[in-house]
Amino acid sequence: MKAPIETQRLLVEIAELDARIAGLRHRDRHLPEQETLDELRAERTAAAGGAARARIRLEDVDRARSRLVGDRQSLDKRAARADATELGAGSSAGDRRELANEKGAVRRLIEETDQALADLTDERDAAAADVAHHGALLDELDSRIATAEITRLHALDDLGASLGSTQHRRAELVEKIPAELFADYESIAAERGAGAGLLAGGRCGACHMELARSSVAEIASFPLDEVVHCPECRAILVRPAGTE
């Protein structure tokens, strides 16, 4: 196959553009800004779980405290009844002993209930602080996520613009390449990854292999419009400017 050397050299630029397009598409699939956003969203999900557990704990403490407050009120009524009974109690030793036992039992229960209420008050303070902490954390994460979403959109816009301009330039060059030559390039690129490379310093620009001197000498013996291929990777091997 023959093609003007200037046309062959366009293939090297197309190969470079193809490498850039591949890199941009890889970046699109592994966008750092997307990974940052995903990490923040995962962190928020975990924080939301922690916030839910903190709220449940606070609700449990409040329910337990409400029950104890009711128990304390019942004990106050029980103590009042004991006091009233004491005022009208008979003089028998048995009555006095029974009343004393009742008042002692109520007093102990009141002390225990008051201690339990004090403990629950401390626990509620800690639970409320935990709820507030998780709420502040969620607010912070929401703010960071909003910023990350904007950053991701900017990155996607920049990526799309770069990809669009690169593809446009490639399309312009493809129009200048004979169909048969470009089909050869695309077939090799699909199989090998790089369809063309510049021969520089005895090294193939497509596979970066250093060629044997005999191969380099043989390539140099061909007319410049002769399309030659790398003996190592089969890429179209284009001779550089200055070899005319």
Side-chain angles (χ1 to χ4, degrees), residues 103-116:
K103 293 185 71 173
V106 170
R107 185 168 53 253
R108 287 191 299 274
L109 287 172
I110 287 175
E111 290 174 355
E112 291 172 0
T113 303
D114 286 346
Q115 182 59 55

Side-chain angles (χ1 to χ4, degrees), residues 128-142:
D130 199 25
V131 169
H133 166 73
H134 279 90
L137 178 59
L138 286 174
D139 288 343
E140 179 193 354
L141 286 170
D142 285 340

